[in-house]
Amino acid sequence: MKAILMARPEKGGIEFTEKAEVPKPGFREVLIRVKATGMCGTDRHIYDWDPSIRDMVKPPMIFGHEFCGEIAELGKETNGSLKVGDFVSCEMHEVCGRCYQCRTGQGHLCPNTAIYGVHKPGCFAEYVKVPASNVIHLPKNLPIKVGAFLDALGNAVHTAMATEIPGRNIAITGYGPIGAMAAAVVEFCGAGSITIADVNPLALERAESWKKSLPSRRKPESIRIVSMNANDRETSMRRTVEETNGGVDAVLEMSGAEKAINDGLRFTRNGGEVVLLGLPSGRGINLENYKQDIIFRGIKLHGIIGRKMYDTWYRMLALLGAGLQIEHVVTTESSFADCEEAFHLFSQGKTLKVVMYPNGK
Amino acid sequence: MKAILMARPEKGGIEFTEKAEVPKPGFREVLIRVKATGMCGTDRHIYDWDPSIRDMVKPPMIFGHEFCGEIAELGKETNGSLKVGDFVSCEMHEVCGRCYQCRTGQGHLCPNTAIYGVHKPGCFAEYVKVPASNVIHLPKNLPIKVGAFLDALGNAVHTAMATEIPGRNIAITGYGPIGAMAAAVVEFCGAGSITIADVNPLALERAESWKKSLPSRRKPESIRIVSMNANDRETSMRRTVEETNGGVDAVLEMSGAEKAINDGLRFTRNGGEVVLLGLPSGRGINLENYKQDIIFRGIKLHGIIGRKMYDTWYRMLALLGAGLQIEHVVTTESSFADCEEAFHLFSQGKTLKVVMYPNGK
Amino acid sequence: MKAILMARPEKGGIEFTEKAEVPKPGFREVLIRVKATGMCGTDRHIYDWDPSIRDMVKPPMIFGHEFCGEIAELGKETNGSLKVGDFVSCEMHEVCGRCYQCRTGQGHLCPNTAIYGVHKPGCFAEYVKVPASNVIHLPKNLPIKVGAFLDALGNAVHTAMATEIPGRNIAITGYGPIGAMAAAVVEFCGAGSITIADVNPLALERAESWKKSLPSRRKPESIRIVSMNANDRETSMRRTVEETNGGVDAVLEMSGAEKAINDGLRFTRNGGEVVLLGLPSGRGINLENYKQDIIFRGIKLHGIIGRKMYDTWYRMLALLGAGLQIEHVVTTESSFADCEEAFHLFSQGKTLKVVMYPNGK
Amino acid sequence: MKAILMARPEKGGIEFTEKAEVPKPGFREVLIRVKATGMCGTDRHIYDWDPSIRDMVKPPMIFGHEFCGEIAELGKETNGSLKVGDFVSCEMHEVCGRCYQCRTGQGHLCPNTAIYGVHKPGCFAEYVKVPASNVIHLPKNLPIKVGAFLDALGNAVHTAMATEIPGRNIAITGYGPIGAMAAAVVEFCGAGSITIADVNPLALERAESWKKSLPSRRKPESIRIVSMNANDRETSMRRTVEETNGGVDAVLEMSGAEKAINDGLRFTRNGGEVVLLGLPSGRGINLENYKQDIIFRGIKLHGIIGRKMYDTWYRMLALLGAGLQIEHVVTTESSFADCEEAFHLFSQGKTLKVVMYPNGK
């Protein structure tokens, strides 16, 4: 079958093949014929052979962990509700089921997690084998272009749902693919004001163009797009702080940049929260104003990883079923055969979300 | 000044006058020139001289407690942020500030509450005197037609915010004025599916017409309008129960009808919640399936009164500032002089929300 | 092996046998040698052959669902952390793992639940076969007399943990076995004041004697034991209402009596909660003051069933590990052979918790 | 009257006087005759004339903000429930009542807070003038030695109540006065296991001696006292991490030390929380393992300041009324006249809590 391998332990060491072996589903496993896949930041780290990823990935291996497809074959003893032909996606975090976290409804925090597409073969292939327990049914009318990246959309939904959105003032730091999804999610969920901050002019442009596309009922003055490098009242966060209650109710931190985390704290009202999804390039972060911002101003921080298993999936599908528009975050579509070019674009930050299809769109 | 009095302790005992005395604001009080007022279910109870209201209202008295207007005069020692000419509304529940509830951020549950327009003179008048602490600034661009009934919209927002809305399946039982507002609120806040149930064909028609008015992004199949008297799958709640997780995540109960409360429990999924705002005509309610629905299925009920002071006001204004459409719930507009006709219509259930203006619209 | 059967579909139709067959653990099942068992209210319903239980239990069947013991044999593919000889108990609610509730950390509310000892053979036997996933390790130093009824203690812990206990005023309506456990739990967890209400003089006496047994640091005036039939200030709930904030923060309802539920609502402060575990004898409950208590006073009700899987188990074991004293709720100990007498006592309400051992204590 | 002044803007610039003027209570103010006072870390910063405090305190000024006493005189229009002779304490944070935080039940986070004893004259005096709204009634049987430091105990209660305590594994980093109070609070509130970590041998000794004083029902093995400098399994946090679920449910951070914050994160289980009260000496904190601990392990941090107005006070008094033992944290008692010696001891870390009486104990 066709597939994309991380073939060699080096930057850019990927390889398109037509001769990968179709996996065989085992006990409580399911084989899925892949229709569309999404490219994730983690895939870029693999492509770039970042030090952070080297301990986890063992080349040569098929990678990729965002996709949708149809069930092609059921292994033994699979969940009775799955049938060949079902349109599905899959939570690719495989958890142990025995630890404290798994036994208390916090499986997404299982310390024994293995990720398909990172620790085990993934979905950049015509067929992928996954645990039956992790398969998610999709509605028939969901475009495969969207089904391709539900894993990433789930990150955005998980982050947004970690705080209260309706009628609250929200800021998003970082308008990359997941930041863009988060913006769409909080807009759809009735955020009061939304402030989107980035340093990259291209990102700011994309945010402006999304804002213009919104249905007329959303008042334009309730969305501000600002540069994190600006200082004047109109184009910086300053006006947001003035016009909200001394700061926003919650920041969704999507960049991983130390400056964004520190600025985000300053933009948050006393008693507000900063929800953290963005991954820094290094290990640590210096919180410059810990005493003032965290203690004296009573602010909460919480880190988000993955998707709640499976609460996030239910709510994400409900939002899509209600009409959440999200296709605009896909700015590149490609076939597996053209993966090198797609990865190159993505690696250089020239595109938001990339969707790849086994045989072209 | 012009005003509407509950003049006599009898059904229909209201009276329009042009000779009411303009009140004088005292210590920490503010005088407001009224621009528009809303008619509330409580006003109907006063108009109908319901037994439930007789201990509270002492005719002759100006009643009414939903309004917006401009500050006309400040008493002594008022809140420093209030100025003559400010466009404002007011929380008409006056609380004691000393009880446990007031001292722990639950002022809306103060056992010593007095309501302007019920226990004290109200806003169906050209001028109304209120406590400075309760005044709420409104944005300049808010239509007075909407500013007129923020108290009632606050009930809907308070009810909706008592549960989580985004990406969840919500049912609303009772599509009267507040039910209609709640529907608009949960739609705006990203509810997954919305099911609206009523027994009244006129109410169901109004719900259908609201549904048609929504921006195209909201998928029509995510909103179902059903008759509580129907039994077939298509026009009853049955299909909602099948298509959700064995029932909705939350019911917002807006009718006060015993049947609606019991049916609402049945429509709720295991572990879901029923948020209760509707007032029954009598004192009690028989929960038919307490054992099965509340205990075995682990359902939560919670009663809602008033608006959170003042969290609900902040979030309501943020929703309006973001674009929440709500004017459609007003189906009658009137001048104070024509109040008899307006009350007659409202008392007979022939209109949703009524807005009255001191001198016509 | 020795076992107690519900042998005949009739009141008192139980039977002690020495010839039951030892079950064989199958796929992902575990065989446990039973050391001690607890008698639950459900077992009494079976013994009494209550109409409420007839659809679920198919005589002749070994019943019982509270126990502790040692793992005797592992079936295939059991959880890797289980070993022969381990000291364990077991959550006897077997859930489907595929429904919304199971997939979102609310397995205790799974609509497809089967209960070992009710729908399937139970633990009143020398050996019981259970699902490996449901087995709970116990600390070696836990007395088997306590290990015998962790299922029931879990009900009490689940109910108490559904609200906040430390520094809050708590009332418990119904001092039967689980009410007695709940009292011990909330005392241990730092409840501010505790009021225990019952109608039964024997229950009130037991509560008084528990109170006397507490370590001296608990101030006696912080625990009141009252009769639900009393009206005078000193022996009724009236004084509690006066001395708290117009009512307690939370009632734990353990009786299922309509009067207790209605009185409990009245004893609760504005904005408080009533957590409901007690099962009424019939289906429904008439809430006499729904309008006043639930709506106007903003009170929450929530129904509790089973134990959170497995959060409740972790916290219960942590409480026992910290020193929670609970043995006093056992007022009868018996061998399986003497089960008829034990059931007779229990059925007549003459004892709190009954613990039975396969071969005597 | 007798009083202690911060007399000169320099280290140790305090002065005992017998000639301070008795303040006169004004509008909505109350004069309190002081019976006992507590010395707080902030008072030490004043005594040491720390740069962090210089902008706030204007010498010469009476300082001190922890005390209890009797109402001596009422100003005009005070809260109707206050009477001369009442035994009271006072929340010394005076908030504006008009900001978002004040209007939404988060007054302790008011950005316009002024602190009596820091920004305004305080309680190290025979008489202190405070806002009537902030006065708290105390039970008659509360020892004045405890009433002296309820402000500080409130910090500990606020921190502990920010997470769930009963049946959970808790760690406390820093066993200074407030850490010692927090330990007593979580023990009383049914914490599962408690681990107390400090670097100071004297602090560890004090913690051991507290542990020995506990009532016998608390199992000694459920409390561990460890050195943050140790590495071996028995005397370090390592064993706690092994014996809990890969880490504790919550850390209460009482030290402000960067190492403690970073270690605390490592000691916390996936999905746990770190509640932060300790003030660092500088402005910022470097989170060494932000990516791993906050993001990948999904941990929450939240900063705590002051006491919830007035929820914390209600719960603290309920805990004391139930029997919470706390006097042991007072290791020095002094008269105002001997304040220099007391401050000297405290400033050198040689004592836990210091209580000072106007005229000796």
Side-chain angles (χ1 to χ4, degrees):
Chain A
M1 65 176 184
K2 293 177 182 167
I4 306 170
L5 295 167
M6 185 60 190
R8 298 171 310 276
E10 61 185 48
K11 188 170 164 66
I14 65 169
E15 192 177 294
F16 170 69
T17 176
E18 301 205 346
K19 299 189 175 166
E21 217 168 308
V22 175
K24 193 73 201 157
F27 179 72
R28 293 198 177 163
E29 288 180 339
V30 166
L31 186 73
I32 299 171
R33 189 165 65 79
V34 173
K35 293 187 143 183
T37 70
M39 195 181 287
C40 172
T42 304
D43 298 323
R44 185 175 53 204
H45 291 306
I46 296 173
Y47 172 83
D48 287 340
W49 201 236
D50 268 4
S52 66
I53 212 78
R54 291 181 195 171
D55 284 349
M56 294 186 255
V57 180
K58 301 291 163 219
M61 191 190 78
I62 297 169
F63 63 123
H65 57 274
E66 302 181 356
F67 77 103
C68 64
E70 272 179 17
I71 295 183
E73 192 183 337
L74 300 173
K76 279 193 187 159
E77 296 262 357
T78 56
N79 178 326
S81 66
L82 303 177
K83 292 187 309 294
V84 169
D86 287 356
F87 181 37
V88 298
S89 183
C90 185
E91 167 60 57
M92 296 290 258
H93 285 206
E94 185 184 37
V95 298
C96 77
R98 290 191 309 265
C99 69
Y100 173 79
Q101 282 74 17
C102 284
R103 288 191 113 187
T104 55
Q106 308 170 69
H108 63 295
L109 296 168
C110 169
N112 310 310
T113 301
I115 306 178
Y116 280 77
V118 177
H119 306 91
K120 298 184 171 190
C123 68
F124 289 158
E126 285 182 284
Y127 292 92
V128 60
K129 185 177 80 171
V130 297
S133 60
N134 289 27
V135 172
I136 310 284
H137 277 112
L138 301 181
K140 291 210 176 82
N141 61 0
L142 186 81
I144 61 168
K145 183 175 166 184
V146 171
F149 61 87
L150 294 177
D151 181 287
L153 179 57
N155 286 139
V157 170
H158 186 186
T159 308
M161 298 297 168
T163 183
E164 280 180 89
I165 300 300
R168 303 227 303 166
N169 303 305
I170 306 296
I172 294 169
T173 48
Y175 195 81
I178 301 191
M181 295 180 211
V185 167
V186 303
E187 193 289 314
F188 192 79
C189 295
S193 72
I194 302 168
T195 307
I196 296 166
D198 206 309
V199 289
N200 182 337
L202 180 58
L204 298 174
E205 243 172 65
R206 280 187 179 124
E208 288 288 358
S209 115
W210 164 72
K211 177 179 167 180
K212 287 197 190 87
S213 76
L214 292 173
S216 60
R217 71 163 191 182
R218 168 60 68 170
K219 294 194 181 168
E221 65 269 29
S222 70
I223 301 183
R224 296 189 67 234
I225 292 152
V226 304
S227 168
M228 298 199 75
N229 290 330
N231 278 315
D232 62 305
R233 184 175 179 276
E234 287 315 303
T235 61
S236 76
M237 283 294 294
R238 269 178 48 209
R239 199 174 129 193
T240 294
V241 172
E242 284 171 27
E243 291 183 349
T244 56
N245 303 303
V248 298
D249 294 301
V251 171
L252 311 187
E253 207 301 291
M254 299 301 191
S255 75
E258 186 170 285
K259 179 180 159 48
I261 296 167
N262 281 306
D263 283 3
L265 278 164
R266 266 192 284 274
F267 301 157
T268 303
R269 68 161 170 82
N270 287 12
E273 6 181 20
V274 182
V275 192
L276 303 153
L277 183 80
L279 289 175
S281 49
R283 288 167 59 214
I285 286 290
N286 185 39
L287 295 179
E288 286 169 14
N289 285 294
Y290 174 91
K291 181 152 74 175
Q292 177 62 23
D293 284 343
I294 311 263
I295 306 291
F296 287 156
R297 305 210 299 112
I299 288 176
K300 293 178 193 160
L301 300 180
H302 37 134
I304 299 293
I305 182 77
R307 295 140 300 281
K308 278 199 182 177
M309 297 168 69
Y310 293 92
D311 188 66
T312 303
W313 287 89
Y314 282 100
R315 294 181 78 170
M316 170 168 54
L317 291 173
L319 291 173
L320 290 165
L324 171 67
Q325 298 299 309
I326 203 71
E327 293 192 36
H328 62 280
V329 305
V330 179
T331 49
T332 301
E333 291 176 272
S334 165
S335 66
F336 280 1
D338 296 333
C339 63
E340 301 239 11
E341 193 185 329
F343 266 101
H344 188 70
L345 267 176
F346 189 58
S347 173
Q348 303 210 316
K350 291 191 177 152
T351 178
L352 279 178
K353 195 74 192 171
V354 176
V355 168
M356 294 192 296
Y357 305 91
N359 300 296
K361 64 185 269 203
Chain B
M1 66 176 182
K2 291 177 184 169
I4 306 171
L5 296 166
M6 184 60 188
R8 299 170 309 276
E10 62 185 47
K11 188 173 163 65
I14 65 168
E15 196 178 292
F16 170 69
T17 176
E18 301 203 345
K19 300 188 172 166
E21 218 168 306
V22 176
K24 193 74 203 156
F27 178 73
R28 294 201 175 161
E29 287 180 339
V30 166
L31 186 72
I32 298 171
R33 190 166 66 79
V34 174
K35 293 188 144 184
T37 70
M39 196 181 285
C40 171
T42 304
D43 298 324
R44 185 173 55 204
H45 290 307
I46 295 173
Y47 171 83
D48 287 339
W49 201 238
D50 268 3
S52 66
I53 212 78
R54 291 182 196 170
D55 284 349
M56 293 186 257
V57 180
K58 301 294 163 216
M61 192 191 79
I62 297 169
F63 64 122
H65 57 273
E66 301 181 354
F67 77 103
C68 64
E70 273 179 17
I71 295 183
E73 192 183 335
L74 299 173
K76 280 192 187 157
E77 296 262 358
T78 55
N79 179 325
S81 66
L82 302 176
K83 291 187 310 294
V84 170
D86 286 356
F87 181 37
V88 297
S89 183
C90 185
E91 167 59 58
M92 295 292 256
H93 284 207
E94 185 184 37
V95 299
C96 77
R98 290 191 309 266
C99 69
Y100 172 80
Q101 281 76 16
C102 285
R103 289 190 112 187
T104 56
Q106 309 171 67
H108 65 294
L109 295 169
C110 168
N112 310 311
T113 301
I115 307 178
Y116 280 77
V118 177
H119 305 92
K120 298 184 171 190
C123 68
F124 288 158
E126 285 182 284
Y127 292 92
V128 61
K129 185 177 80 173
V130 298
S133 59
N134 290 28
V135 173
I136 310 285
H137 278 110
L138 301 182
K140 290 212 176 82
N141 61 359
L142 186 80
I144 62 168
K145 184 175 165 183
V146 171
F149 62 87
L150 294 178
D151 180 287
L153 180 57
N155 286 141
V157 170
H158 185 186
T159 309
M161 300 296 168
T163 184
E164 280 180 88
I165 301 300
R168 303 226 305 165
N169 303 304
I170 306 295
I172 294 169
T173 50
Y175 196 80
I178 301 191
M181 295 179 210
V185 167
V186 302
E187 194 287 315
F188 192 79
C189 296
S193 73
I194 302 169
T195 307
I196 296 167
D198 206 310
V199 291
N200 182 336
L202 181 57
L204 298 174
E205 244 171 65
R206 280 185 179 127
E208 289 289 359
S209 115
W210 165 71
K211 177 179 167 179
K212 287 198 189 86
S213 76
L214 291 173
S216 59
R217 73 164 189 181
R218 169 59 69 168
K219 294 196 181 166
E221 64 269 28
S222 72
I223 301 183
R224 295 190 66 233
I225 292 153
V226 304
S227 168
M228 299 199 73
N229 290 329
N231 278 313
D232 61 305
R233 182 173 181 279
E234 287 314 303
T235 62
S236 76
M237 284 293 294
R238 269 178 47 209
R239 201 176 126 192
T240 293
V241 172
E242 284 171 27
E243 291 183 349
T244 54
N245 303 303
V248 298
D249 294 300
V251 171
L252 310 186
E253 206 303 290
M254 299 300 192
S255 75
E258 185 170 287
K259 180 180 159 45
I261 296 167
N262 281 304
D263 282 4
L265 279 164
R266 266 192 284 275
F267 302 156
T268 304
R269 68 162 170 80
N270 287 12
E273 9 181 19
V274 181
V275 192
L276 302 153
L277 183 81
L279 289 173
S281 49
R283 290 167 56 214
I285 286 290
N286 185 40
L287 295 179
E288 286 168 14
N289 286 294
Y290 174 90
K291 181 153 73 176
Q292 177 62 25
D293 284 342
I294 311 263
I295 306 291
F296 287 156
R297 305 210 298 111
I299 288 176
K300 293 180 193 159
L301 300 179
H302 38 134
I304 300 293
I305 183 77
R307 293 141 301 282
K308 278 200 183 176
M309 295 167 73
Y310 292 90
D311 186 66
T312 303
W313 288 90
Y314 283 99
R315 295 181 76 171
M316 170 167 55
L317 291 173
L319 290 173
L320 290 166
L324 171 67
Q325 297 300 308
I326 204 70
E327 293 193 34
H328 62 279
V329 305
V330 179
T331 51
T332 301
E333 291 177 272
S334 166
S335 66
F336 279 1
D338 296 331
C339 63
E340 301 239 10
E341 195 186 327
F343 266 101
H344 188 70
L345 267 176
F346 189 58
S347 173
Q348 302 210 318
K350 291 188 177 153
T351 179
L352 278 178
K353 196 72 192 174
V354 177
V355 168
M356 294 193 296
Y357 305 90
N359 300 295
K361 62 183 272 202
Chain C
M1 66 177 182
K2 292 177 184 168
I4 306 171
L5 296 165
M6 184 61 189
R8 299 170 310 275
E10 62 185 46
K11 187 172 164 68
I14 65 168
E15 196 177 293
F16 170 69
T17 176
E18 301 204 345
K19 299 187 173 168
E21 219 168 306
V22 175
K24 193 76 201 155
F27 178 73
R28 294 199 175 163
E29 287 179 340
V30 166
L31 186 72
I32 299 171
R33 190 165 66 78
V34 173
K35 293 188 145 184
T37 70
M39 196 181 285
C40 171
T42 304
D43 298 324
R44 184 174 54 204
H45 291 306
I46 295 173
Y47 172 82
D48 288 339
W49 200 237
D50 269 2
S52 66
I53 211 79
R54 291 182 196 170
D55 284 349
M56 293 185 256
V57 179
K58 300 294 163 216
M61 192 189 78
I62 297 169
F63 64 122
H65 58 273
E66 301 180 356
F67 76 103
C68 64
E70 272 179 19
I71 295 183
E73 191 183 336
L74 300 172
K76 281 192 187 159
E77 297 263 356
T78 55
N79 179 325
S81 66
L82 303 176
K83 292 187 308 294
V84 169
D86 286 356
F87 181 35
V88 298
S89 182
C90 185
E91 166 60 56
M92 294 292 257
H93 285 207
E94 184 184 39
V95 299
C96 77
R98 291 191 307 266
C99 68
Y100 171 80
Q101 281 75 17
C102 284
R103 287 190 114 189
T104 56
Q106 309 171 67
H108 65 294
L109 295 169
C110 167
N112 311 310
T113 301
I115 306 178
Y116 280 77
V118 176
H119 305 92
K120 299 185 170 188
C123 67
F124 288 159
E126 285 182 283
Y127 292 91
V128 61
K129 184 178 81 173
V130 298
S133 59
N134 290 27
V135 172
I136 310 284
H137 278 111
L138 302 182
K140 290 212 177 83
N141 61 359
L142 186 80
I144 62 167
K145 183 175 166 183
V146 172
F149 61 88
L150 295 178
D151 180 287
L153 180 58
N155 287 139
V157 170
H158 186 185
T159 308
M161 299 297 168
T163 184
E164 280 179 89
I165 300 300
R168 303 226 305 166
N169 303 305
I170 307 295
I172 294 168
T173 50
Y175 196 81
I178 301 190
M181 295 178 210
V185 168
V186 303
E187 194 287 314
F188 192 80
C189 295
S193 73
I194 302 169
T195 307
I196 295 166
D198 206 309
V199 290
N200 182 336
L202 181 57
L204 297 174
E205 243 171 66
R206 281 185 178 125
E208 289 289 0
S209 115
W210 165 71
K211 176 179 167 178
K212 286 198 191 87
S213 76
L214 291 173
S216 60
R217 72 163 191 182
R218 168 60 67 169
K219 294 194 182 168
E221 64 269 27
S222 71
I223 301 183
R224 295 189 65 234
I225 292 152
V226 304
S227 168
M228 299 199 73
N229 290 330
N231 279 313
D232 61 306
R233 182 174 181 278
E234 287 314 302
T235 62
S236 76
M237 285 293 294
R238 269 178 47 210
R239 202 177 126 191
T240 294
V241 172
E242 284 171 26
E243 291 183 350
T244 55
N245 302 304
V248 298
D249 294 300
V251 171
L252 311 186
E253 207 302 290
M254 299 301 191
S255 75
E258 185 170 287
K259 179 181 159 45
I261 296 167
N262 281 304
D263 283 3
L265 278 164
R266 266 192 285 274
F267 302 155
T268 304
R269 68 162 170 81
N270 287 11
E273 11 183 15
V274 181
V275 192
L276 303 152
L277 182 82
L279 288 174
S281 49
R283 289 166 57 214
I285 286 290
N286 185 42
L287 296 180
E288 286 169 14
N289 286 295
Y290 174 90
K291 180 152 73 177
Q292 178 61 25
D293 284 342
I294 312 264
I295 306 290
F296 287 156
R297 305 211 299 112
I299 288 175
K300 294 180 193 159
L301 300 179
H302 38 134
I304 300 292
I305 183 77
R307 294 139 302 281
K308 279 200 183 176
M309 296 166 72
Y310 293 90
D311 187 66
T312 303
W313 288 90
Y314 282 100
R315 295 181 76 170
M316 170 167 55
L317 291 173
L319 291 173
L320 290 165
L324 171 67
Q325 297 300 308
I326 203 70
E327 293 192 36
H328 62 279
V329 306
V330 178
T331 50
T332 301
E333 291 176 273
S334 166
S335 66
F336 280 1
D338 297 331
C339 64
E340 301 239 10
E341 195 185 328
F343 267 101
H344 187 71
L345 267 176
F346 189 57
S347 172
Q348 302 210 317
K350 290 189 177 153
T351 180
L352 280 177
K353 196 73 192 172
V354 177
V355 167
M356 294 192 297
Y357 307 90
N359 300 296
K361 64 183 273 202
Chain D
M1 64 178 183
K2 293 178 183 167
I4 306 171
L5 295 166
M6 185 60 189
R8 299 171 309 276
E10 62 185 46
K11 189 170 162 67
I14 65 169
E15 193 177 295
F16 170 69
T17 176
E18 301 203 347
K19 298 189 174 166
E21 217 168 307
V22 176
K24 192 75 200 156
F27 179 72
R28 294 198 176 164
E29 287 180 340
V30 166
L31 185 73
I32 299 172
R33 189 164 67 79
V34 174
K35 293 188 143 183
T37 70
M39 196 181 287
C40 172
T42 305
D43 299 323
R44 185 175 54 205
H45 290 307
I46 295 173
Y47 172 82
D48 287 339
W49 201 237
D50 268 4
S52 66
I53 211 79
R54 293 182 194 169
D55 285 348
M56 294 186 255
V57 179
K58 301 292 162 219
M61 192 190 78
I62 297 169
F63 63 123
H65 57 273
E66 303 181 355
F67 77 103
C68 64
E70 272 179 17
I71 295 183
E73 191 183 338
L74 299 173
K76 279 191 188 160
E77 296 262 358
T78 55
N79 177 326
S81 66
L82 303 177
K83 291 187 309 294
V84 169
D86 286 356
F87 181 37
V88 298
S89 183
C90 186
E91 167 59 57
M92 295 292 257
H93 285 205
E94 185 184 39
V95 299
C96 77
R98 290 191 308 266
C99 69
Y100 172 80
Q101 281 75 15
C102 284
R103 287 189 114 187
T104 56
Q106 307 171 69
H108 63 295
L109 295 168
C110 169
N112 310 310
T113 300
I115 306 178
Y116 280 77
V118 176
H119 306 91
K120 299 185 170 189
C123 67
F124 287 158
E126 285 183 284
Y127 292 91
V128 61
K129 184 178 80 171
V130 297
S133 59
N134 289 28
V135 172
I136 310 284
H137 277 112
L138 301 181
K140 291 212 176 79
N141 61 0
L142 187 80
I144 63 168
K145 183 175 164 183
V146 171
F149 61 87
L150 295 178
D151 180 288
L153 180 57
N155 286 141
V157 170
H158 186 186
T159 308
M161 299 297 168
T163 184
E164 280 180 89
I165 299 300
R168 303 225 304 164
N169 302 306
I170 306 296
I172 294 168
T173 48
Y175 196 80
I178 302 191
M181 295 179 210
V185 168
V186 303
E187 192 289 315
F188 192 79
C189 295
S193 72
I194 302 168
T195 307
I196 295 166
D198 207 308
V199 290
N200 182 336
L202 181 58
L204 297 174
E205 243 172 65
R206 281 185 179 125
E208 288 289 358
S209 115
W210 165 72
K211 177 179 167 180
K212 285 196 192 90
S213 76
L214 291 173
S216 60
R217 71 163 191 181
R218 167 61 68 170
K219 293 194 183 168
E221 64 268 29
S222 70
I223 301 183
R224 295 189 69 234
I225 292 153
V226 304
S227 168
M228 298 199 75
N229 290 331
N231 279 314
D232 62 305
R233 182 174 180 277
E234 287 315 303
T235 61
S236 77
M237 283 294 294
R238 268 178 48 209
R239 198 175 130 192
T240 293
V241 171
E242 283 171 29
E243 291 184 350
T244 55
N245 303 303
V248 299
D249 294 300
V251 171
L252 311 186
E253 206 302 290
M254 299 302 191
S255 75
E258 186 170 285
K259 179 179 158 48
I261 296 167
N262 281 305
D263 283 3
L265 278 163
R266 265 191 285 275
F267 302 155
T268 303
R269 69 161 170 82
N270 287 13
E273 8 182 18
V274 181
V275 192
L276 302 153
L277 183 81
L279 288 175
S281 49
R283 289 166 58 214
I285 285 290
N286 185 41
L287 296 180
E288 286 169 15
N289 286 294
Y290 175 90
K291 181 151 75 176
Q292 177 62 23
D293 283 343
I294 312 264
I295 306 289
F296 288 155
R297 306 209 299 112
I299 288 176
K300 295 179 193 159
L301 300 180
H302 39 133
I304 299 293
I305 182 76
R307 295 139 300 280
K308 279 199 181 177
M309 297 168 69
Y310 292 90
D311 187 66
T312 303
W313 287 90
Y314 282 99
R315 294 181 78 171
M316 169 167 55
L317 291 174
L319 291 173
L320 290 166
L324 172 66
Q325 299 299 308
I326 203 69
E327 293 193 34
H328 62 280
V329 305
V330 178
T331 51
T332 300
E333 291 176 272
S334 166
S335 66
F336 280 1
D338 297 332
C339 63
E340 302 239 12
E341 193 185 329
F343 266 101
H344 188 71
L345 266 176
F346 190 58
S347 174
Q348 304 210 316
K350 292 190 177 152
T351 179
L352 278 178
K353 196 74 193 172
V354 176
V355 168
M356 294 192 296
Y357 306 90
N359 300 295
K361 64 185 268 202

